[in-house]
Amino acid sequence: MRDDLSSRSGATRVVIHGALGRMGARLCALAAAGDGVRLVGAVDRESSASSIAGGVRVTASIDEAPPCDVVIDFSSDEGARAAPALARQCGSALLVGTTGLSRETEGLLRSAAAERAVLVAANMALGVAVLAALARRAAAALGPAYRAAIVEAHHAGKKDAPSGTALRLAEAARSAGADLPADQVLSIRGGDVVGEHTLRFAGAGEYLELIHRATTRDVFAAGALRAARWLHGRPPGWWTIEDVLGLGPG
Ligand code: NAD
C-alpha cells in the first residue's frame, strides 16, 4: 500500500461526521488512539452541549468544524448529502462510508470530486475487497450456467437493504458474466450481527459458497482510517477502496 506522500507531513487530521453513531463512536475512539491519524473534530446532528467522542466536543453544526485533512462520513443519506459542504468548510478530502445512498446524493458526491479527493466505499474491510475480486474470478470461470445468489445478514438497526456491500458484490459478479437476478439478493435482519455476506454459485451437481463475516465494527473503522491516511494529500478525483489496497479492478 502506498501510504506516504510528499505533499503531506505529520498525522492525518480527521473530522468524523456521524460521530455519535455505532460506527462514528468506534471511529472517534480509534482515531483518538490512532497511529498516523489525529481526531480534531466531530459532528453529529444528535449532539448536545455535553457530547464528547474520542476526547473532542461533538458539534451539531458543520459550521463549527475545524480545518482538517480528511472528513470521514458514516451517517445517513441526508448526512452524506451534507458531507461535501462539511469537507469544503474543513478544506479537506472526503471519505464516505455511509451506505444506502440515493442517486441524488451519489451525484453530489461525484460533483464534489471535481474540487477535492473523494472516496466512497460501502465496505472498508480488506476481506470484502478481496471477496469482490474473488467474485469476479469465480463468475468468469463458472459462467452463467451457475446461478449466483447473495445472502446478507445484519443487526436489526441497519436501515438499508440489501446492504451496500451486497450490491457491490452483485455488481462485481455480474460484471464478469454471472447470472444474478435482483430477486436472488436476499437480506436478513436481526440480533447483533455486525455483517455477513455469502455469495453462492449453484450449478448442476455442485455449489460454491464464498463467505465473509465481520466480527467487529472495528474492522470497518480501522479500514476507514487507513483509507483516510491514503486519501490525505491526494489530488481531486474519484478514488476507490481498490486504489487504497492496491487491488486492481480485475
Ligand atoms: P447509526 O444510526 O448508529 O449512526 C449514524 C449517526 O449519524 C447517528 O449518530 C446520527 O445522529 C448521525 N447522523 C445521521 N444523519 C445525520 C446528518 N444529516 N447530519 C449529522 N449527523 C447525522 O449508524 P451506523 O451503524 O453507525 O452506520 C452509519 C452508516 O455507515 C450506515 O449507512 C451504515 O450502513 C454504514 N456502514 C458502513 C460501513 C463501511 O465499511 N463502509 C460499515 C458499517 C456501517
Side-chain angles (χ1 to χ4, degrees):
M1 180 179 54
R2 277 187 304 138
D3 203 25
D4 55 331
L5 277 182
S6 53
S7 60
R8 69 182 215 205
S9 59
T12 298
R13 298 165 303 161
V14 298
V15 165
I16 308 297
H17 193 221
L20 297 176
R22 280 174 290 250
M23 279 303 302
R26 292 313 301 151
L27 277 158
C28 287
L30 291 190
D35 202 11
V37 274
R38 189 152 59 86
L39 180 67
V40 295
V43 182
D44 196 297
R45 68 176 171 194
E46 297 297 326
S47 165
S48 65
S50 59
S51 297
I52 302 279
V56 307
R57 195 168 77 80
V58 183
T59 65
S61 160
I62 65 176
D63 299 337
E64 295 174 55
C68 73
D69 301 306
V70 183
V71 162
I72 305 180
D73 171 87
F74 278 75
S75 59
S76 64
D77 181 55
E78 193 189 336
R81 220 172 307 147
L86 174 57
R88 195 172 309 121
Q89 152 84 14
C90 297
S92 72
L94 175 60
L95 177 69
V96 174
T98 302
T99 63
L101 300 177
S102 64
R103 238 177 246 273
E104 183 197 345
T105 305
E106 266 186 46
L108 268 176
L109 295 172
R110 287 206 178 255
S111 305
E115 56 187 43
R116 64 195 70 255
V118 176
L119 192 157
V120 179
N123 197 307
M124 305 275 180
L126 175 59
V128 164
V130 173
L131 178 56
L134 292 174
R136 280 188 287 267
R137 287 194 67 174
L142 297 171
Y146 284 67
R147 166 62 70 89
I150 292 174
V151 181
E152 57 99 347
H154 281 89
H155 56 89
K158 183 163 177 64
K159 297 194 176 73
D160 52 322
S163 69
T165 305
L167 295 175
R168 173 169 165 227
L169 291 172
E171 189 185 300
R174 288 189 192 117
S175 72
D179 170 24
L180 207 174
D183 67 1
Q184 296 296 297
V185 181
L186 311 172
S187 302
I188 300 168
R189 295 287 174 267
D192 57 0
V193 182
V194 174
E196 183 175 314
H197 292 85
T198 302
L199 174 59
R200 189 173 195 269
F201 295 90
E206 63 174 350
Y207 62 90
L208 169 68
E209 285 185 342
L210 300 169
I211 304 176
H212 179 270
R213 291 190 184 96
T215 55
T216 163
R217 281 188 181 85
D218 283 6
V219 74
F220 308 124
L225 294 177
R226 176 179 174 173
R229 287 199 310 269
W230 185 91
L231 209 53
H232 178 181
R234 298 274 157 195
W238 186 256
W239 302 93
T240 68
I241 196 74
E242 283 79 10
D243 295 328
V244 178
L245 300 171
L247 297 167

